[in-house]
Amino acid sequence: MSEEIDIPASAWEIKAIFPARPGDDIVAEIKAYVKAYGTPYLWRGHTHTPPPKDGPVVYLDEIHLPSSHCGELNRNKWSPCPICSPRHPKFYKAGMIAWFPDEQTIRIIGPECFASFNLEGHSTAYAAFRREQEERRTQAFLLSHLGQVGEAIAVIEHNTEAVKEIDRVREILARRIPIVIDFDLWHHIRADQRLRTESERRTVSKDRYGEEREVVVRESNVYGPVMGHIMLEPKAKPIQDRLSICKTRLRLVDFGEKYAEHLATLPSEEKRKMAKFLLKEVRKAHDLLAEAAEVKRFLSVENVATLRGWGKHEGCPTRLYMAFAPDGRNYGSAGPTSSIRP
């Protein structure tokens, strides 16, 4: 057992100074003190005597000791618990700031120590604490994101024309390239996003009778990577159609500058539903714009040069020529005798 901790007489005094539920300011003060000193039992409002076994408890928040007091190597710096270990180190993480309304006191205790006194009371209080924590996170998320919904819609609208053009080119390249070059380029690159060439080499081997014979060995060699390979995915749905649906759904939670007022009128369950909905749609919009950016990489100068070089290589399984038109807008792709110009 670790050495006994010297608990000053002031810590044992019952500090019945919290008749009403302590607010966020008290919780913040406790956390700041613990972070600075690592001794929650010495905080000015802590009562170190054990609580009544049958009294109610309300968990206000969790505390963690600073890193200097954490882990087995620092066991002698752990905090004691007024419930089960008042004079010896007990915990260093997930301690609970507990308010005892009947006594009007606060105790900083081990994470599950009150359960040894009153299992039902602990379980009820901990479940209520988790619900409150979830509601706080939901509220914070909505307050930080609802005000940006209009901006997200504006970003989608700003990219509308560019995404339409990307969809147009994608439709042409994904559907026509296999026909023009008589080769399934998507099947060729989709596994590892690499272009490959083929080569043959002849070697001599002996059969089971010891006779030598010439064998032709075909090899596949990596030529180089393909950027934006999903440009050629034949079953891809138009990005703009999906982005338009996302924008329409985001408008349902676009409350303008009065979003905080609207939020204040909603019950907790509605807030949770709204947060889930908003998170889903924001992520979807982000993913769709990221998909458009990735598809566009296929048209980069570097990628076109790679494809053109691969198409000329003697080991290329097809003949391919790709280039930008002189006006810088159109894009050409050709097999042996054909060409397309989106």
Side-chain angles (χ1 to χ4, degrees), residues 203-215:
T203 184
V204 177
S205 65
K206 292 183 179 181
D207 60 22
R208 61 180 177 174
Y209 302 109
E211 295 183 3
E212 292 186 348
R213 60 190 183 88
E214 189 177 66
V215 178

Side-chain angles (χ1 to χ4, degrees), residues 170-342:
R170 189 184 204 180
E171 169 71 13
I172 294 171
L173 295 185
R175 292 183 181 274
R176 296 190 190 178
I177 274 190
I179 298 172
V180 170
I181 64 177
D182 194 24
F183 181 76
D184 191 345
L185 185 55
W186 168 248
H187 181 78
H188 180 79
I189 64 175
R190 67 178 179 177
D192 58 1
Q193 297 92 64
R194 295 174 186 272
L195 296 167
R196 295 180 179 276
T197 57
E198 298 174 354
S199 61
E200 292 183 356
R201 64 181 176 86
R202 298 180 181 275
T203 184
V204 177
S205 65
K206 292 183 179 181
D207 60 22
R208 61 180 177 174
Y209 302 109
E211 295 183 3
E212 292 186 348
R213 60 190 183 88
E214 189 177 66
V215 178
V216 177
V217 179
R218 296 186 63 83
E219 295 179 332
S220 176
N221 307 295
V222 174
Y223 179 83
V226 177
M227 295 186 290
H229 75 290
I230 57 174
M231 167 71 87
L232 301 177
E233 185 177 356
K235 295 183 180 180
K237 297 178 181 179
I239 300 173
Q240 180 53 37
D241 291 352
R242 292 176 281 157
L243 206 53
S244 180
I245 293 173
C246 184
K247 182 180 72 172
T248 299
R249 290 173 64 82
L250 281 173
R251 289 195 187 281
L252 297 175
V253 289
D254 183 13
F255 305 109
E257 296 180 356
K258 296 184 178 181
Y259 67 90
E261 297 176 23
H262 179 80
L263 194 59
T265 66
L266 296 179
S268 298
E269 183 59 29
E270 289 301 313
K271 289 179 182 178
R272 281 194 289 272
K273 289 180 180 178
M274 182 182 291
K276 185 177 180 180
F277 175 87
L278 180 57
L279 181 61
K280 177 183 177 181
E281 296 307 318
V282 168
R283 283 179 174 172
K284 188 182 296 182
H286 178 272
D287 290 346
L288 288 171
L289 290 174
E291 180 183 345
E294 178 62 21
V295 172
K296 188 179 178 182
R297 293 179 70 210
F298 187 85
L299 303 178
S300 68
V301 174
E302 297 84 357
N303 197 62
V304 171
T306 298
L307 288 164
R308 191 163 56 240
W310 173 74
K312 292 191 231 180
H313 194 283
E314 62 180 12
C316 180
T318 186
R319 294 295 93 193
L320 178 70
Y321 176 79
M322 308 185 88
F324 291 100
D327 62 8
R329 293 179 62 256
N330 292 327
Y331 187 65
S333 169
T337 59
S338 304
S339 66
I340 56 174
R341 208 169 275 285

